[in-house]
Amino acid sequence: MNETLRNSEVVLLLAATAVAEIVFANYLPVALYLDLSLVLALYIGWNSSPAKGAVSGFAFGLPQDAISGIFLGLNGLSKTLMGFGGSYLSKWLLLEGLLARCVLIGLLSAVDEGIVVGMRALLGQTIQQEVWLRILIQVPVTGFAGGVIFHFYDRIKFPEKDFRQV
Amino acid sequence: MIALLQRKPFFSLAFLLFANLLLLSVQVRNTEGRLLLRSLSLLLFTPIASTVHFVVDGVTGGVKQYALLYGAQKENILLREENARLGVELAQLRGIKSLVSRREESPMLEEQFLFDTFLAPVIWKSPPFYAHRLVINAGSLKGIRKDDAVITPQGIVGRVWATTPFTSEVELITNDSAAAGAMLEDSRLQGVIQGDGSLTMTWNFIPNYESVEVGDIVYTSGTDRLYPKGFPIGKVVQSRKGVTVYRDIQVEPFVDYLRLEEIMVVRDHSRKGEGIE
């Protein structure tokens, strides 16, 4: 696996995501429909080894739990799986198109939310009706924004080379 | 270590998932107030204990029934005699019950002394130096709930600590911090029996000026609303004046916890019943 993301980069992304989520939670709640932790955990997993994807997912999920005020470990668990799965998906799927990536990220967002809601139900928590509406909005928003983030980050990480000089 | 994790990605995934579950378990308690991890470990471990118990019981039962018939006839005669004696005793008690039922305080007496029990085999015992607990092969599907009293004809055993659908964990009365209301039969002197992790128990809150002799039998007082009243607990093995205002009394339980094979769970203390199911 081609490790294109250095550990220092991952740590920076983690810090930036935590700050962003705190800012969104306090000042721009509508931005929380974008599951930034999921998008970045997927991106790191997509461009790294499965182990690194899993660790990144764990690291991104825990602050999200802490900021959301739910049980620590719920998003940690789901993002661990997403980061790990993202790495394997990158081997099986070659998705370069923006639309394809948006669809995939949207689907994975639905799976991620399904895991969190399922775990909460297993733990005996009441699941309010509003949760389903939130997921219905979050899936396309995360899918679209995730695809765009993937696209632009790829442009930064993999600038187009001038092959005429080869 | 990192190289190992890179080569074995599923190992790192399993480790992280377990870390998440551990984190959740220290925050979440189930409806019985038990830690999630503790309940999950009971659920996972007890099928193994049940299987081992089933196999061992089957083998030893087969050996006893078919290979070792030595003493079977003598045991048969003794059991028949005991059965006849118990039958007579039961008839006498039914007569007494009929007399009592006509009295004013009958509902209160019935609530204290009549209860429904469920017989369950012990499938696992914890090593006594860790905790005094055991696991029985009956759970919530059989109507067993947390804090149900556990007894044998010899005396009280403890209370149900946690349940799964098929098994239950029982805390013995000798466990550290386990306790029960206790009294002497004759003088009705009341105190609190408390386990301390050893094989004897301490009988607390008995003033120094009270008379408690070695050999006195201690019974449940019913004040804890847990154990049925009048059930034997044990006998006093040490009684001396304490350094505080209370006596220093040690009680040895009647029940041999290390050799327990079957126990009875008091399923509903307030229900009327004929006794053993």
Side-chain angles (χ1 to χ4, degrees), chain B residues 13 41 75 80 154 156 172 186 189 194 225 238 249:
Chain B
L13 176 68
S41 64
E75 192 182 4
R80 282 171 183 269
Q154 288 77 39
I156 66 168
L172 300 182
D186 299 329
L189 187 61
Q194 189 160 8
R225 305 290 294 169
Q238 177 186 288
I249 303 171

Side-chain angles (χ1 to χ4, degrees), chain A residues 47-90:
Chain A
N47 291 287
S48 306
S49 64
K52 193 165 180 173
V55 171
S56 303
F58 179 75
F60 276 89
L62 284 187
Q64 191 178 21
D65 286 328
I67 293 162
S68 311
I70 57 177
F71 290 124
L72 286 177
L74 279 177
N75 277 294
L77 192 140
S78 68
K79 266 60 176 187
T80 301
L81 288 169
M82 291 295 118
F84 185 85
S87 179
Y88 276 100
L89 280 175
S90 72

Side-chain angles (χ1 to χ4, degrees), chain B residues 63-101:
Chain B
V63 167
K64 277 183 193 170
Q65 282 177 26
Y66 298 107
L68 295 177
L69 292 175
Y70 174 76
Q73 191 185 10
K74 188 177 174 189
E75 192 182 4
N76 192 23
I77 293 169
L78 285 172
L79 283 171
R80 282 171 183 269
E81 286 174 0
E82 190 181 8
N83 195 30
R85 183 180 58 76
L86 287 171
V88 167
E89 219 172 284
L90 190 60
Q92 289 171 334
L93 288 170
R94 282 196 176 118
I96 295 170
K97 184 190 166 191
S98 169
L99 281 171
V100 165
S101 66

Side-chain angles (χ1 to χ4, degrees), chain B residues 104-178:
Chain B
E104 223 172 77
E105 60 270 25
S106 166
M108 187 186 73
L109 290 171
E110 280 184 357
E111 191 189 324
Q112 280 183 354
F113 293 104
L114 291 182
F115 45 86
D116 179 45
T117 58
F118 182 83
L119 189 70
V122 174
I123 58 173
W124 179 73
K125 298 183 197 93
S126 67
F129 44 85
Y130 287 128
H132 291 215
R133 298 227 168 99
L134 49 84
V135 176
I136 59 173
N137 203 12
S140 54
L141 287 179
K142 294 276 195 321
I144 293 171
R145 292 193 294 265
K146 186 177 184 289
D147 291 333
D148 279 350
V150 177
I151 60 177
T152 66
Q154 288 77 39
I156 66 168
V157 172
R159 64 178 175 129
V160 174
W161 181 251
T163 61
T164 69
F166 304 104
T167 55
S168 301
E169 192 176 3
V170 174
E171 180 191 50
L172 300 182
I173 190 67
T174 51
N175 198 32
D176 193 23
S177 79

